Amino acid sequence: MASFMDRVSNFFSGNDTDTGEGLKSLFISELKDIYYAEGQAIDALGDQADAATTDEVRSAFLHHQEESRNQRTRLERVFDSLGVSAEEGTCNAIDGLADDGQRVISNTESGSLTRDAGLIMAAQKVEHHEIAAYGSVVTLAHVLGYNEAAQLLQQTLDEEKNTDKKLTQLAESFINNRAASERDNDDNNDSYDRYRDIDRVENEAIAGSTLAAGSGTLGYTGGAFGTGATAGGVEYDDNSPAEDDAPTPRYSPSRDATLGGSSGI
């Protein structure tokens, strides 16, 4: 049986025949998994491009899809340099990341910038996985002395890093800010509808109390409204002229926006 030092030497030279788990075996196994992952990424990028809202995001996905096809072909050259057939392994990580991208499409509105922001996030998760995977096999290739393979894999690693950088710039340049504006507009529309409904209720209360009392007092606890009194986010001015002397409501958005406000309704 080989000594411990011999086994260590064999392991780092890729000739660990005693255990069958030498670096060369690990290296080839990782390459097969990456080969499979590139195929899955190509399919996912096509789906994401179809679902994208803006031309900028769609073009970015289509460009990287073509780049990924070239990277897969480059992997075949790596296999050839090692005298190994190009075969697909498995990769649960890429399968899960592809599912995440599909969930973004399912959970966001078609034609929204929020969808584009989510798709960029999903794509960058894939990029980070690929950067880690390619970085590892580049290191293994150098350790094992596979210089041609190391050069080819480094080229792909550089492309993956560049793609991740471009996606970040795309998100920061306009997608995230515009998606936030899209959300703020929805919030503003909700607030407008809420204040409009409050205005309607308050005006109905004024009209009803005026008919009942025939004066500017509304019958609330505390008597007549004075200048600046509020109810439900509405400010009243009993100095403003009106045919029936009823107080005239004015909006004061900073006031309490609930029915009852500060007047005890």
Side-chain angles (χ1 to χ4, degrees):
M1 179 180 291
S3 68
F4 175 73
M5 292 305 298
D6 288 339
R7 292 180 63 188
V8 171
S9 177
N10 288 336
F11 179 82
F12 283 101
S13 66
N15 297 313
D16 189 2
T17 56
D18 288 343
T19 64
E21 295 177 356
L23 288 186
K24 182 177 181 180
S25 176
L26 176 63
F27 179 57
I28 294 173
S29 176
E30 288 296 314
L31 289 176
K32 290 179 179 180
D33 291 350
I34 294 174
Y35 189 59
Y36 168 82
E38 286 289 7
Q40 296 301 104
I42 290 169
D43 292 340
L45 285 165
D47 292 339
Q48 292 170 359
D50 290 340
T53 297
T54 61
D55 291 338
E56 292 88 344
V57 173
R58 185 177 301 107
S59 295
F61 289 157
L62 291 175
H63 173 77
H64 189 53
Q65 184 186 47
E66 184 60 29
E67 192 172 52
S68 296
R69 291 192 180 100
N70 294 333
Q71 290 169 353
R72 202 163 192 265
T73 300
R74 191 178 297 138
L75 277 172
E76 293 169 357
R77 293 171 58 191
V78 172
F79 283 116
D80 286 341
S81 73
L82 300 173
V84 177
S85 299
E87 298 176 0
E88 289 188 349
T90 60
C91 183
N92 293 335
I94 197 66
D95 290 338
L97 291 172
D99 288 342
D100 282 347
Q102 287 297 325
R103 278 194 291 273
V104 168
I105 296 172
S106 298
N107 295 336
T108 55
E109 183 179 352
S110 177
S112 69
L113 292 170
T114 299
R115 171 173 287 187
D116 273 4
L119 288 174
I120 289 175
M121 291 172 61
Q124 286 194 288
K125 291 177 185 178
V126 174
E127 291 308 305
H128 294 173
H129 166 75
E130 291 183 323
I131 288 170
Y134 276 107
S136 297
V137 291
V138 166
T139 298
L140 286 176
H142 282 301
V143 170
L144 293 167
Y146 298 142
N147 295 328
E148 182 181 355
Q151 182 179 4
L152 291 169
L153 293 168
Q154 182 65 51
Q155 185 177 348
T156 297
L157 176 59
D158 292 340
E159 290 174 353
E160 299 293 6
K161 290 180 178 179
N162 189 49
T163 296
D164 181 54
K165 182 179 179 180
K166 287 181 178 179
L167 288 173
T168 296
Q169 292 172 341
L170 180 60
E172 291 177 346
S173 64
F174 77 105
I175 293 296
N176 287 345
N177 288 337
R178 286 168 60 182
S181 298
E182 191 175 70
R183 179 200 63 201
D184 291 341
N185 287 337
D186 290 342
D187 290 344
N188 289 337
N189 288 336
D190 291 342
S191 297
Y192 172 79
D193 291 340
R194 180 160 54 90
Y195 280 111
R196 182 183 60 188
D197 291 341
I198 291 171
D199 184 35
R200 176 179 55 78
V201 171
E202 290 295 338
N203 286 334
E204 289 175 356
I206 293 169
S209 60
T210 300
L211 290 174
S215 67
T217 61
L218 300 184
Y220 300 112
T221 301
F225 281 109
T227 302
T230 66
V234 180
E235 183 176 339
Y236 290 87
D237 183 359
D238 52 8
N239 294 322
S240 57
E243 293 181 2
D244 55 2
D245 294 328
T248 303
R250 297 199 309 274
Y251 265 123
S252 177
S254 63
R255 301 289 185 176
D256 184 3
T258 61
L259 282 178
S262 57
S263 298
I265 298 177

